[in-house]
Amino acid sequence: MAGSKLIRGGMIVTSTDLYAGEIMIKDGRIEAIGKRLEAGEAEVVDASGCYVFPGGIDPHTHLDMPFGGTVTADNFESGTRAAAYGGTTTIIDFCLTSKGQSLEEALRIWQAKAEGQAVIDYGFHLMIASLGDEVLQELPRMIEEEGITSLKVFMAYKNVFQADDGTLYRTLVEAKRLGALVMVHAENGDVIDQLIREALAAGHTDPIYHALTRPSAIEGEATGRAALLTGLADSQLYVVHVTCAEAVQRIAEARSQGLSVWGETCPQYLVLDQSSLEQPDFEGAKYVWSPPLREQWHQEALWDGLRSGQLQTIGSDHCSFNFKGQKELGRGDFSKIPNGGPSIEDRFTILYSEGVAKGRISLNQFVDLVSTRSAKLFGLFPRKGTIAVGSDADLVIFDPSVTRELSAATHHMNVDYNPYEGMVVMGQPISVLSRGEFVIRDLTFVGRTGAGQFLKRSRFSGGEAVMEPEKRQTSARANT
């Protein structure tokens, strides 16, 4: 059982509030919030000069995942440890399935990967590869009993993950009926497959052609198509890793029509651009992920989307492959480069540094983007995603005055490069608590492998989950 702690001296920040206060933690939860609280036997933790944020929720990770003839460099132990160093206390990973495989079998495989390994709490999204009778029969139990209330459909990776539009539509219909949120990787996989064939036939094999064969227009097209099907099904849609102006526009149009559509972007698309893939000596392969990096002008469209609320969350899409021995599988053929990059550790700070510190978003927007909105959309609020009486004591003590340089030499991800190498950022998580226990304390890992718990999540409720009246009143009193 977590020991009692009193965090004092910091500025408490939620998606709606900013105030000086103290937080009493008992039995892994927040017991009281106020000023001049009695410490009693509680350990006093000094957060002077720091912000105290809710623990980050990363809604998009790929740990211990097979892809392209290899397996990601980070498993659930190394990946969640790095996440904790970066201020994230909850991840939701993608449980992959294949056609003909039962959902039960796929889930047990992913549970075996995570159980006894994760150092922070975790949940799963469940991939839908096909929707035959067996899968239809399994879905209610997955949602109601297993608490997996989000379903992923790929519109890309033809002959690997891609599902047809009929499967997407039927998944949307079932999700509406059962209370789940449908997630899509929105690219036109059929067109991409043809463009790749044409590029290779013409002798174009360098990493830059990964981007050139996946133009932004077909991400926009797929996003619009998914939104249209969502409207037909009267369902709900979450578009992962939005990269471009066209996709932001399609999401904004759908929302203006009253459709339940949300969008996620990732730090790499906010700060890196397509020119990274042009680096010589195959170095561009480090930046091969899907959808690809775009021309730099798309970044402002993404920031505009975050500011205006057309994009609601930040995921890392962490899918790490070493440059040596893994990315190199695609030398001479860009289509064989394992898709993915490492961002789980830097997601939180990059958004603070590039967003808050540079005046693009407010502190409250930052918290909503890195934590609160994901908790609401994915059935974790108010247990996670906020600082309130009764919520889990998942907290980040964050020093905004620190200036540091991101580098593979100092990161904790199990991968031999950092895509943000040399980038100077403002701010750093100093200490991180998961359910009242330190995972990171004064920049040092003090957590325990296997301490992370699997989270059964509640059904989708519109993305605007609210506290129960009694809890809301208690929290309001505590904040005065």
Side-chain angles (χ1 to χ4, degrees), residues 59-60 62 94 125 151-154 182-187 219 223 237-243 247 251 262-266 269 290-291 311 313 315 317 378:
H60 191 157
H62 301 281
F94 284 92
H125 309 295
L151 309 173
K152 171 75 173 289
V153 178
F154 283 89
V182 177
M183 312 170 76
V184 290
H185 175 138
E187 290 185 286
E219 182 184 341
T223 303
L237 182 75
Y238 178 98
V239 184
V240 303
H241 51 40
V242 172
T243 76
I251 291 169
W262 291 268
E264 161 202 287
T265 191
C266 308
Y269 302 117
S290 297
L311 298 177
T313 66
D317 194 10
F378 296 109

Coordinates of all heavy atoms in Angstrom, one line a residue, residues 59-60 62 94 125 151-154 182-187 219 223 237-243 247 251 262-266 269 290-291 311 313 315 317 378:
P59 N -2.0 8.0 -25.3 CA -3.0 7.1 -25.9 C -2.6 6.3 -27.1 O -3.4 5.7 -27.7 CB -4.1 8.1 -26.3 CG -3.4 9.4 -26.7 CD -2.2 9.4 -25.8
H60 N -1.3 6.4 -27.4 CA -0.9 5.8 -28.6 C 0.6 5.2 -28.5 O 1.5 6.0 -28.8 CB -1.0 6.8 -29.8 CG -0.8 6.2 -31.1 ND1 -1.3 6.9 -32.3 CD2 -0.2 5.1 -31.6 CE1 -1.0 6.1 -33.3 NE2 -0.3 5.1 -32.9
H62 N 3.2 1.6 -29.1 CA 3.5 0.2 -29.7 C 4.7 -0.4 -29.0 O 5.8 -0.1 -29.4 CB 3.7 0.3 -31.2 CG 2.5 0.9 -32.0 ND1 1.4 0.2 -32.3 CD2 2.4 2.2 -32.5 CE1 0.6 1.0 -33.0 NE2 1.2 2.2 -33.1
F94 N -1.5 -0.7 -28.4 CA -2.3 -1.3 -29.4 C -2.1 -2.8 -29.5 O -1.0 -3.3 -29.7 CB -2.0 -0.7 -30.8 CG -2.6 0.6 -31.0 CD1 -1.9 1.8 -30.7 CD2 -3.9 0.8 -31.4 CE1 -2.5 3.0 -30.8 CE2 -4.5 2.0 -31.5 CZ -3.8 3.2 -31.3
H125 N -5.9 -0.8 -26.7 CA -6.9 -0.7 -27.8 C -6.9 -2.0 -28.5 O -5.8 -2.7 -28.6 CB -6.5 0.4 -28.8 CG -6.2 1.7 -28.2 ND1 -7.1 2.5 -27.5 CD2 -5.0 2.5 -28.2 CE1 -6.5 3.6 -27.1 NE2 -5.3 3.6 -27.5
L151 N -11.5 0.5 -30.3 CA -11.3 -0.4 -31.4 C -10.5 0.3 -32.5 O -10.9 1.3 -33.0 CB -12.6 -1.0 -31.9 CG -13.5 -1.5 -30.9 CD1 -14.9 -1.9 -31.5 CD2 -12.9 -2.7 -30.2
K152 N -9.4 -0.3 -33.0 CA -8.6 0.3 -34.0 C -8.8 -0.4 -35.4 O -8.7 -1.6 -35.5 CB -7.1 0.2 -33.6 CG -6.1 0.6 -34.7 CD -6.0 2.1 -34.8 CE -4.8 2.5 -35.8 NZ -3.5 2.3 -35.2
V153 N -9.0 0.4 -36.4 CA -9.1 -0.1 -37.8 C -8.1 0.6 -38.7 O -8.0 1.9 -38.6 CB -10.5 0.2 -38.4 CG1 -10.6 -0.3 -39.8 CG2 -11.6 -0.5 -37.5
F154 N -7.3 -0.1 -39.4 CA -6.3 0.4 -40.3 C -6.9 0.6 -41.7 O -7.5 -0.3 -42.2 CB -5.1 -0.5 -40.4 CG -4.1 -0.5 -39.2 CD1 -4.3 -1.3 -38.2 CD2 -3.0 0.4 -39.2 CE1 -3.4 -1.3 -37.1 CE2 -2.1 0.4 -38.2 CZ -2.3 -0.4 -37.1
V182 N -14.1 4.1 -32.0 CA -13.4 3.6 -33.1 C -12.2 4.5 -33.5 O -12.4 5.7 -33.6 CB -14.3 3.4 -34.3 CG1 -13.5 2.9 -35.5 CG2 -15.4 2.4 -34.0
M183 N -11.1 3.9 -33.6 CA -9.9 4.7 -34.0 C -9.4 4.3 -35.4 O -9.5 3.1 -35.7 CB -8.7 4.4 -33.0 CG -9.2 4.5 -31.6 SD -7.9 3.8 -30.4 CE -6.7 5.2 -30.4
V184 N -9.0 5.2 -36.2 CA -8.5 4.9 -37.5 C -7.2 5.4 -37.8 O -6.8 6.5 -37.4 CB -9.5 5.3 -38.7 CG1 -10.8 4.6 -38.6 CG2 -9.8 6.8 -38.6
H185 N -6.4 4.6 -38.5 CA -5.2 5.1 -39.2 C -5.6 5.5 -40.6 O -6.0 4.6 -41.4 CB -4.1 4.0 -39.2 CG -2.9 4.3 -40.0 ND1 -1.6 4.0 -39.6 CD2 -2.7 5.0 -41.2 CE1 -0.7 4.4 -40.5 NE2 -1.4 5.0 -41.5
A186 N -5.7 6.8 -40.8 CA -6.4 7.3 -42.0 C -5.4 7.6 -43.1 O -4.9 8.7 -43.2 CB -7.2 8.5 -41.7
E187 N -5.1 6.6 -43.9 CA -4.4 6.8 -45.2 C -5.0 5.9 -46.2 O -5.5 4.8 -45.8 CB -2.9 6.5 -45.1 CG -2.1 7.4 -44.3 CD -0.6 7.1 -44.3 OE1 -0.2 6.1 -43.7 OE2 0.2 7.7 -45.0
E219 N -4.0 11.2 -47.1 CA -4.4 11.2 -45.7 C -5.7 12.0 -45.5 O -6.6 11.6 -44.8 CB -3.3 11.8 -44.8 CG -3.6 11.7 -43.3 CD -2.6 12.4 -42.5 OE1 -1.4 12.5 -42.9 OE2 -2.9 12.7 -41.3
T223 N -9.3 10.5 -44.2 CA -9.9 11.1 -43.0 C -11.3 11.5 -43.3 O -12.2 11.2 -42.5 CB -9.1 12.3 -42.5 OG1 -7.7 11.9 -42.3 CG2 -9.7 12.9 -41.3
L237 N -15.7 8.6 -33.8 CA -14.4 8.3 -34.4 C -13.3 9.1 -33.8 O -13.5 10.3 -33.5 CB -14.5 8.7 -35.9 CG -13.3 8.4 -36.8 CD1 -13.2 6.9 -37.1 CD2 -13.4 9.2 -38.1
Y238 N -12.1 8.5 -33.7 CA -10.9 9.1 -33.2 C -9.8 8.9 -34.3 O -9.5 7.7 -34.6 CB -10.5 8.5 -31.9 CG -9.3 9.0 -31.2 CD1 -9.3 10.0 -30.2 CD2 -8.0 8.4 -31.6 CE1 -8.1 10.4 -29.6 CE2 -6.9 8.8 -30.9 CZ -6.9 9.8 -29.9 OH -5.8 10.2 -29.3
V239 N -9.3 9.9 -34.9 CA -8.3 9.8 -36.0 C -6.9 9.9 -35.3 O -6.6 11.0 -34.7 CB -8.5 10.9 -37.0 CG1 -7.5 10.7 -38.2 CG2 -9.9 10.9 -37.6
V240 N -6.1 8.9 -35.4 CA -4.8 8.9 -34.8 C -3.8 9.6 -35.7 O -4.0 9.8 -36.9 CB -4.3 7.4 -34.5 CG1 -5.3 6.7 -33.6 CG2 -4.1 6.6 -35.8
H241 N -2.7 10.0 -35.1 CA -1.6 10.7 -35.7 C -1.9 11.5 -36.9 O -1.4 11.2 -38.0 CB -0.5 9.6 -36.0 CG -0.8 8.4 -36.7 ND1 -1.7 8.4 -37.8 CD2 -0.4 7.1 -36.6 CE1 -1.8 7.2 -38.2 NE2 -1.0 6.4 -37.5
V242 N -2.6 12.6 -36.7 CA -2.9 13.5 -37.8 C -1.7 14.3 -38.1 O -1.0 14.8 -37.2 CB -4.1 14.5 -37.4 CG1 -4.3 15.6 -38.4 CG2 -5.4 13.7 -37.2
T243 N -1.3 14.4 -39.4 CA -0.1 15.0 -39.8 C -0.2 16.3 -40.7 O 0.8 17.0 -40.8 CB 0.8 14.0 -40.6 OG1 0.3 13.9 -41.9 CG2 0.8 12.7 -39.9
A247 N -6.1 16.8 -43.4 CA -6.7 16.0 -42.4 C -7.4 16.8 -41.3 O -8.5 16.6 -40.9 CB -5.8 15.0 -41.8
I251 N -11.4 16.9 -40.4 CA -11.9 16.8 -39.0 C -12.8 18.0 -38.6 O -13.9 17.8 -38.0 CB -10.8 16.5 -38.0 CG1 -10.1 15.2 -38.3 CG2 -11.2 16.6 -36.6 CD1 -8.8 15.0 -37.6
W262 N -12.9 13.1 -33.3 CA -11.8 13.7 -32.6 C -10.5 13.4 -33.3 O -10.4 12.4 -34.1 CB -11.7 13.2 -31.2 CG -12.9 13.6 -30.3 CD1 -12.9 14.7 -29.5 CD2 -14.1 13.0 -30.2 NE1 -14.2 14.8 -28.9 CE2 -14.9 13.7 -29.3 CE3 -14.7 11.8 -30.7 CZ2 -16.2 13.4 -28.9 CZ3 -16.0 11.4 -30.4 CH2 -16.7 12.2 -29.5
G263 N -9.5 14.2 -33.1 CA -8.2 14.0 -33.7 C -7.0 14.1 -32.8 O -7.0 14.9 -31.8
E264 N -6.0 13.3 -33.1 CA -4.8 13.2 -32.3 C -3.6 13.6 -33.2 O -3.6 13.2 -34.4 CB -4.6 11.8 -31.8 CG -3.2 11.4 -31.3 CD -3.0 9.9 -31.4 OE1 -3.5 9.2 -30.5 OE2 -2.3 9.4 -32.3
T265 N -2.7 14.4 -32.7 CA -1.4 14.5 -33.4 C -0.3 14.1 -32.5 O -0.5 13.7 -31.4 CB -1.2 15.9 -34.0 OG1 -0.1 15.9 -34.9 CG2 -1.0 17.0 -32.9
C266 N 1.0 14.2 -33.0 CA 2.1 13.7 -32.3 C 3.2 14.7 -32.3 O 3.3 15.5 -33.2 CB 2.6 12.4 -32.9 SG 1.3 11.1 -33.1
Y269 N 5.3 15.4 -35.6 CA 4.7 16.2 -36.7 C 4.7 17.7 -36.3 O 4.5 18.5 -37.3 CB 3.3 15.7 -37.0 CG 3.3 14.2 -37.3 CD1 2.6 13.3 -36.5 CD2 4.0 13.8 -38.4 CE1 2.7 11.9 -36.8 CE2 4.0 12.4 -38.7 CZ 3.4 11.5 -37.9 OH 3.4 10.2 -38.3
S290 N 4.8 6.2 -40.3 CA 3.6 6.4 -41.1 C 2.4 6.9 -40.2 O 2.2 6.3 -39.2 CB 3.1 5.1 -41.8 OG 4.1 4.7 -42.7
P291 N 1.7 7.9 -40.7 CA 2.0 8.7 -41.9 C 3.3 9.4 -41.8 O 3.9 9.5 -40.7 CB 0.8 9.7 -42.0 CG -0.2 9.2 -41.1 CD 0.5 8.4 -40.1
L311 N -8.1 19.5 -32.9 CA -7.3 18.4 -32.5 C -7.3 18.4 -30.9 O -7.1 19.4 -30.3 CB -5.9 18.4 -33.0 CG -5.8 18.4 -34.5 CD1 -4.3 18.6 -34.9 CD2 -6.4 17.2 -35.2
T313 N -5.9 15.7 -28.7 CA -4.9 14.9 -27.9 C -3.5 14.8 -28.5 O -3.4 15.1 -29.7 CB -5.4 13.4 -27.6 OG1 -5.4 12.8 -28.9 CG2 -6.8 13.4 -27.0
G315 N -0.5 12.0 -28.8 CA 0.0 10.7 -28.6 C 1.5 10.6 -29.1 O 1.9 11.5 -29.9
D317 N 2.8 7.8 -30.5 CA 3.0 6.8 -31.6 C 4.4 6.1 -31.5 O 5.0 5.9 -32.5 CB 2.8 7.4 -33.0 CG 2.6 6.3 -34.1 OD1 2.5 5.1 -33.7 OD2 2.6 6.7 -35.3
F378 N -11.2 7.9 -23.4 CA -10.9 6.4 -23.3 C -11.3 5.8 -22.0 O -10.8 4.8 -21.5 CB -9.4 6.2 -23.6 CG -9.0 6.5 -25.0 CD1 -8.2 7.6 -25.2 CD2 -9.5 5.8 -26.1 CE1 -7.9 8.0 -26.5 CE2 -9.2 6.1 -27.4 CZ -8.4 7.2 -27.6

